[in-house]
Amino acid sequence: MKKIIFILLLVFTQQAYCQKEAYHWYFGTNTGLDFSNTHTESTSLGNVLGVPSTVQGPVSTFEGCFSISDKDGNFLFASDGITVYNKNLVTMQNGTGLLGHPSSTNSGIVIPVPDNPALYYIITAPDRNNTAPGLCYSTVNMSADGGLGAVVLKNVSLTFGSSGYPITHAYENLTAIGHANGKDYWVVSRVRSKIFAWLITSAGINVTPVISEIGMDLGIPTIAPSSIGVGTTKISPDGKRIIHADYRFDSNHYLTIGNFDTSTGKASSFQFVSTYLENLYSLEFSPTGNYLYFTAIERGNRGLYIKPINNISAPFTRILPNANIDNVQLGPDNRIYAIGNQQSSLWIILDPDNGGTQIAEVPNKFISPRLPRLGLPPFITSFFNIKPIKGKEIVCVGNSAEYSVEIPSIGSGTQQIAYLEWNFGDGTPVVKDYNMSSSITTYKQSHTYNTQGVYTIRVTPYLVNGLVESSKINTITNTVAECKVVTNRMIRSDLLPN
């Protein structure tokens, strides 16, 4: 009997969280931004490439709003927390009566159901004035109504587990992050002195949350003037940090900063950073998590602030002091976008990982009456994690292999990427890729290794001013092996098929 044994190669695969799910934003008074349709705009810093188009939207909301697109960037649905609108911008089938609230900081967030591309969970948060529903989840089936989708399960309460808190103590904040396994999700909320994390898998939502003790109880949610329960919670794109903004009037106002573990859902090592700013409201991390951007709204401290995360004791700085900025959100192009209540301008932080030194104002971006209010849609923050180099985990000596790296935006001005330098770690000359384009997000190179070993591939972006864009340097370890075909020497060649 002939016997042929092949040594097979393992190809590394992992589900990747994409950024195109955040391509369509609907917020404010029937306005929005479309990142699938970008163009060059004149700004306070000159012409800026890749600015999203302004669109008319179905949502009219003071604060809370959320939306989701598919992995290819096609808009699916949006909501103010009460009514869900489909891709035709009309009410989705059975899409009314959700228990979020247009005046909740985060009235809701959308989570794809793992392993089922047709299903999505909507998690809603009530307004602090109407906390009876607590946090709830509903299910959208996008295969219903001819692909327009339908809400098929509605307003199931999430419990606070063994904490002893009743559902009426729910705060207005919601955030979400991908699990360390690259497949599942955590949906997270701060309530009083605890962080709650509910695990979402292909089997559904685990209604028993993982509970982490913060060590500071902000109290039962209340209406104005104290307004306990208002303010954003965010997890950094890499899933390592969690921060909550304490909005309250007439008291010391803290940024509560802790670590987060995407394997377990536990938060830990909390620190309380006094700001002495009333009405802390929105938060956003730079793509690598090096900087925190946050806002204070209303009164004399209204505006945008920045703080380095790796040095908690460092002071925060107010930037653009003359701009009435109320909310910030990281975009799919790794820029941070900022809006103000009933302001016609859009502000774009072009270099969020370099301390916000370049902020472009787009005047008259929004036209009355379709103006922003206080809210911007939240997204699963791991959508914005910088993607690793992709390639085979093991390749054969002498065989060409392809590697790719995803760069959602090449930037603009002095922060525009001019070329990528590929170093394959085997002593061969580096490869410089000058074919940069605002319409391309994935860049590829092929390489052949002639000697077995373990090599580190490094992709370094260089800016137009010749400096390295250090926040987007990317590396991967690659194993190169001798790949042999072993056969039985007793095989008779005359018996092999022609």
Side-chain angles (χ1 to χ4, degrees):
M1 177 184 293
K2 65 180 180 180
K3 185 184 291 184
I4 301 178
I5 303 173
F6 291 96
I7 297 178
L8 301 177
L9 298 181
L10 297 176
V11 178
F12 175 75
T13 60
Q14 182 179 11
Q15 176 176 321
Y17 304 117
C18 301
Q19 292 176 305
K20 294 183 179 180
E21 288 94 337
Y23 261 25
H24 297 269
W25 301 8
Y26 292 106
F27 53 91
T29 305
N30 303 113
T31 192
L33 294 172
D34 180 1
F35 289 85
S36 68
N37 181 18
T38 63
H39 51 274
T40 300
E41 288 219 30
S42 177
T43 77
S44 58
L45 296 181
N47 288 339
V48 171
L49 304 176
V51 178
S53 300
T54 308
V55 291
Q56 181 174 349
V59 172
S60 183
T61 176
F62 181 59
E63 294 180 78
C65 54
F66 53 92
S67 56
I68 192 73
S69 304
D70 65 19
K71 63 182 179 61
D72 297 315
N74 301 304
F75 172 63
L76 296 179
F77 59 88
S79 178
D80 60 356
I82 295 178
T83 303
V84 183
Y85 301 92
N86 65 25
K87 66 181 181 181
N88 291 336
L89 308 185
V90 298
T91 302
M92 180 177 281
Q93 187 177 101
N94 196 32
T96 59
L98 271 65
L99 297 180
H101 199 283
S103 191
S104 174
T105 306
N106 301 130
S107 61
I109 194 167
V110 185
I111 316 292
V113 176
D115 296 331
N116 194 329
L119 296 182
Y120 292 82
Y121 288 124
I122 293 175
I123 317 297
T124 55
D127 173 68
R128 70 195 184 285
N129 298 339
N130 181 27
T131 54
L135 302 178
C136 299
Y137 74 89
S138 303
T139 305
V140 172
N141 186 342
M142 287 305 303
S143 64
D145 195 20
L148 294 175
V151 179
V152 295
L153 180 68
K154 194 181 296 183
N155 299 328
V156 180
S157 292
L158 292 175
T159 72
F160 293 135
S162 61
S163 68
Y165 293 166
I167 61 173
T168 55
H169 286 193
Y171 282 13
E172 294 185 357
N173 64 87
L174 284 169
T175 189
I177 187 71
H179 192 284
N181 63 18
K183 176 181 176 181
D184 301 324
Y185 298 95
W186 297 101
V187 61
V188 178
S189 184
R190 190 246 175 97
V191 178
R192 296 183 57 181
S193 69
K194 304 181 191 302
I195 295 292
F196 296 88
W198 293 268
L199 179 62
I200 297 178
T201 70
S202 58
I205 298 180
N206 188 339
V207 295
T208 302
V210 175
I211 303 174
S212 303
E213 179 60 44
I214 296 172
M216 176 187 289
D217 190 345
L218 298 182
I220 298 171
T222 59
I223 61 174
S226 57
S227 299
I228 295 171
V230 179
T232 305
T233 295
K234 273 285 177 75
I235 297 175
S236 58
D238 62 8
K240 294 180 179 179
R241 293 278 198 164
I242 184 169
I243 299 184
H244 175 255
D246 178 13
Y247 174 89
R248 292 175 296 167
F249 282 86
D250 298 324
S251 60
N252 199 356
H253 308 278
Y254 292 93
L255 293 171
T256 300
I257 303 176
N259 297 332
F260 193 81
D261 187 336
T262 58
S263 297
T264 64
K266 291 290 288 185
S268 60
S269 304
F270 289 100
Q271 300 178 66
F272 309 105
V273 179
S274 298
T275 65
Y276 305 102
L277 299 172
E278 290 183 304
N279 316 123
L280 296 183
Y281 188 66
S282 72
L283 302 167
E284 189 55 279
F285 288 89
S286 65
T288 61
N290 291 334
Y291 288 93
L292 175 71
Y293 295 82
F294 63 97
T295 66
I297 63 174
E298 304 173 8
R299 302 197 181 187
N301 295 316
R302 181 184 182 187
L304 177 62
Y305 299 81
I306 184 172
K307 184 179 185 63
I309 288 299
N310 294 329
N311 184 3
I312 297 300
S313 61
F316 57 85
T317 303
R318 187 173 185 177
I319 51 181
L320 295 182
N322 296 320
N324 292 322
I325 291 175
D326 296 313
N327 207 324
V328 284
Q329 171 62 47
L330 187 60
D333 54 5
N334 283 338
R335 299 165 171 171
I336 289 177
Y337 290 81
I339 54 95
N341 184 17
Q342 296 187 311
Q343 303 296 300
S344 62
S345 290
L346 174 70
W347 292 269
I348 309 173
I349 305 174
L350 301 173
D351 59 341
D353 274 315
N354 290 313
T357 56
Q358 286 198 324
I359 304 179
E361 180 182 359
V362 186
N364 301 314
K365 179 67 171 174
F366 304 102
I367 305 300
S368 182
R370 294 195 292 272
L371 295 173
R373 298 303 302 270
L374 287 179
L376 284 173
F379 297 95
I380 299 170
T381 57
S382 46
F383 285 168
F384 307 106
N385 199 10
I386 293 176
K387 306 300 187 295
I389 300 169
K390 297 179 182 179
K392 292 182 178 179
E393 186 179 38
I394 302 175
V395 299
C396 298
V397 169
N399 284 9
S400 178
E402 184 178 87
Y403 305 90
S404 65
V405 65
E406 183 177 342
I407 300 179
S409 171
I410 63 172
S412 60
T414 60
Q415 296 301 307
Q416 183 173 324
I417 298 174
Y419 66 92
L420 301 177
E421 184 178 87
W422 293 73
N423 187 332
F424 290 94
D426 58 351
T428 57
V430 299
V431 176
K432 295 183 178 181
D433 182 0
Y434 289 93
N435 296 313
M436 310 302 295
S437 171
S438 60
S439 62
I440 299 174
T441 58
T442 301
Y443 297 85
K444 301 177 181 180
Q445 290 290 329
S446 296
H447 188 72
T448 301
Y449 288 93
N450 295 316
T451 306
Q452 68 179 35
V454 178
Y455 300 92
T456 297
I457 302 173
R458 182 182 180 92
V459 178
T460 303
Y462 282 82
L463 303 175
V464 292
N465 59 12
L467 299 178
V468 172
E469 172 54 289
S470 58
S471 68
K472 292 184 174 63
I473 293 175
N474 216 322
T475 62
I476 187 177
T477 300
N478 195 41
T479 299
V480 180
E482 291 283 358
C483 304
K484 298 179 180 179
V485 177
V486 181
T487 63
N488 191 328
R489 295 182 179 180
M490 299 305 294
I491 294 175
R492 289 179 54 186
S493 60
D494 61 312
L495 297 180
L496 293 176
N498 293 328

